[in-house]
Amino acid sequence: MPILSGKARLAGVFGWPATHSRSPRLHGFWLERHGIDGAYVPLSVAPAQFETAVRGLAAAGFRGANVTIPHKEAAYALCDEVDHAARRAGAVNTLRFEAGRILGGNTDGFGFLESLAEQAPGFDPAAGPAVLLGAGGACRAIAAALLDEGCPRVTLVNRTTERAEALARDLDATDARPGRLRIATEAPLDGAALLVNTTSLGMEGQPPLAIDLAPLPDGAVVADAVYVPLETPLLAAARARGLRGVDGLGMLLHQARPGFEAWFGVAPAVDAALREFVAADLPRTAAGPPDVPTSALAGPGAAARR
């Protein structure tokens, strides 16, 4: 059992609740691997106390924290400075406390791209159109990352078109090449290079995502931001069709890297040992309620939960 000194570096994850977060397990693995004098703790904080808690931890000497639902937008508003990714996403998932200032970043898009490169090697986001299911925070971060990497077109499919339209307007306003976002009520898979589920459909206890993958080209990639279970019905269907699948665990692991390095001074690696350790705490597959059509897409982004 690690023994902390008075010089220990401290960080954690804010959520309401934070009890189901896998981030303490993830960061704890890296802390032990590198023999770091530090700790990463779950911080269950109600929205009404969020600002007080953040400022209190900064005053108490914490290096920073991750932020998960429902605090990401509140964290953005608290920051003295935010990075480009956070501005594009309109939300913060990583806080750093430096010299009395609160600095915010968003690493969800980075985590998605790194996971995509790892699990679908050779895939280029600029190679063709992408279809994103959902219109929540995870969708926004992933859409921004894909556009910044040169994706020629991103189509958003969501139950309420108003929410998708608002997301598209916000991203267009900060895009170097505006006009690449589309809104649709049905997923235009014919010719799509990438399909990404950012909804909670397929998550344990939720209905699986019912979508016909037949129109996708043979070289397409299917990604799911859900990682509970690890192999969602969507990924199983993609693999059965011979398509490459990218699970949500990779995004979770990679999005944690920048924060860990900033707080603890070591650039951590995502490797098979880490993945196996974190995956050991996840169900591999799960049966859900009856399928729902893509026209019923709704709910918070799956990647919102850390």
Side-chain angles (χ1 to χ4, degrees), residues 1-275:
M1 177 178 178
I3 303 298
L4 300 180
S5 78
K7 298 179 180 179
R9 299 183 176 209
L10 303 176
V13 55
F14 283 107
W16 185 247
T19 51
H20 302 297
S21 173
R22 268 70 180 189
S23 288
R25 183 177 180 89
L26 162 56
H27 287 274
F29 179 93
W30 281 332
L31 287 168
E32 183 174 352
R33 166 180 278 181
H34 295 287
I36 293 172
D37 181 12
Y40 182 100
V41 296
L43 303 162
S44 289
V45 175
Q49 281 76 52
F50 179 68
E51 180 175 355
T52 301
V54 170
R55 297 193 184 282
L57 290 191
F62 270 61
R63 297 300 180 101
N66 282 128
V67 182
T68 187
I69 56 172
H71 300 311
K72 288 188 177 185
E73 292 182 2
Y76 185 97
L78 271 181
C79 289
D80 298 301
E81 181 182 328
V82 297
D83 65 13
H84 170 76
R87 280 194 299 274
R88 291 277 273 150
V92 159
N93 77 337
T94 305
L95 295 170
R96 290 183 290 121
F97 307 142
E98 295 183 4
R101 303 178 75 230
I102 301 174
L103 310 179
N106 191 300
T107 63
D108 281 336
F110 166 83
F112 176 79
L113 292 177
E114 290 293 295
S115 179
L116 190 63
E118 178 185 52
Q119 297 186 54
F123 179 82
D124 181 1
V131 176
L132 273 59
L133 310 178
C139 181
R140 181 166 173 158
I142 291 171
L146 289 171
L147 292 169
D148 288 349
E149 287 296 305
C151 184
R153 185 174 70 252
V154 173
T155 300
L156 308 177
V157 183
N158 194 56
R159 182 180 63 181
T160 55
T161 57
E162 294 83 0
R163 185 174 175 87
E165 287 167 353
L167 189 158
R169 284 195 301 270
D170 289 348
L171 283 180
D172 252 3
T174 57
D175 194 6
R177 294 165 51 198
R180 289 180 288 161
L181 282 153
R182 302 285 188 274
I183 309 299
T185 55
E186 296 292 336
L189 299 186
D190 188 12
L194 175 67
L195 170 66
V196 187
N197 174 40
T198 74
T199 76
S200 60
L201 294 175
M203 185 181 292
E204 188 176 49
Q206 298 294 321
L209 174 64
I211 185 169
D212 182 10
L213 301 181
L216 281 173
D218 289 342
V221 172
V222 176
D224 203 329
V226 170
Y227 61 87
V228 182
L230 193 56
E231 181 80 350
T232 63
L234 175 64
L235 291 180
R239 298 190 209 281
R241 234 221 75 187
L243 303 175
R244 288 186 290 177
V246 177
D247 62 49
L249 179 57
M251 179 176 172
L252 173 73
L253 302 179
H254 284 286
Q255 64 78 33
R257 287 165 44 204
F260 189 92
E261 182 174 7
W263 306 321
F264 300 112
V266 173
V270 172
D271 56 19
L274 173 69
R275 185 178 177 87

